Amino acid sequence: MKCLLLVDIQNGFCSGGNLAVPNGEDIVPIVNRLIAKGRYDLVVASKDWHPADHGSFASQHPGSSPFKMGTLNGKPQMMWPDHCVQGSHDAEFHPGLNVGGIDHVQRKGEDPTIDSYSAFRDNDQSALTGLSGYLARAGIGSLDICGLATDYCVKASALDARAMLPGVKVRFISDASRGIDPTDVKAAIAEMSAAGVGIVTSADVLSER
Ligand code: VGL
Ligand code: ZN
């Protein structure tokens, strides 16, 4: 049972979005090729889904500004522009994404008091989204991961997949992902690799069987 996890391919992380990742939308045609024709048995997509007063937003912290480090509940937290607010255009999937190929959507980041980069659990690793149970019940043997942004939500999801889905082969599809900061992307790939995540390209995946 092969599963593909698409992380946060939302307007907010594409050009024109509130937290645009450089060239984020370039992954959309690549992702559409990956989900075409039943290459995967199961395709899951996460959505960053914040309430308007989410504590990761700089707007909630007087004197702060986006992309500065701040604190949330006493812990270091990057301050973000308001993004992916529940029900907004920013939170919708990119219009070019073949949403008909998605079997299950996992929302995350709904608790205003903590951020949730990973599709599996909040950043303090306490509250689960339910995705690990869903995938375990589905009986997946492999999980390929791609999306936005490599240095935040994709990395966190891949590391949690390794930690929370024992026995599942996890891979990161590099060209079907984009990151915020090039130096952080390099470090993220090294960290994923060290944690046992395979690093592949869409060409590798498309050439399989
Ligand atoms: C993300 C920062 C804040 C992501 C989400 O999807 O990588 N990054 N919220
Ligand atoms: Zn977010």
Side-chain angles (χ1 to χ4, degrees), residues 8 13 19 48 50 80 83 108 115 117 148-149 152-153 180:
D8 300 2
F13 301 113
L19 181 36
D48 213 29
H50 296 309
W80 300 111
H83 65 277
K108 65 186 180 65
D115 214 349
Y117 293 146
L148 307 170
Y152 287 92
C153 294
I180 295 175

Side-chain angles (χ1 to χ4, degrees), residues 78-120:
M78 179 67 88
M79 293 290 125
W80 300 111
D82 291 19
H83 65 277
C84 296
V85 170
Q86 297 171 5
S88 70
H89 173 78
D90 209 57
E92 292 310 308
F93 287 126
H94 184 281
L97 184 64
N98 175 18
V99 293
I102 297 170
D103 301 301
H104 179 74
V105 176
Q106 178 63 61
R107 293 172 173 178
K108 65 186 180 65
E110 297 178 78
D111 180 348
T113 68
I114 186 151
D115 214 349
S116 183
Y117 293 146
S118 162
F120 294 96

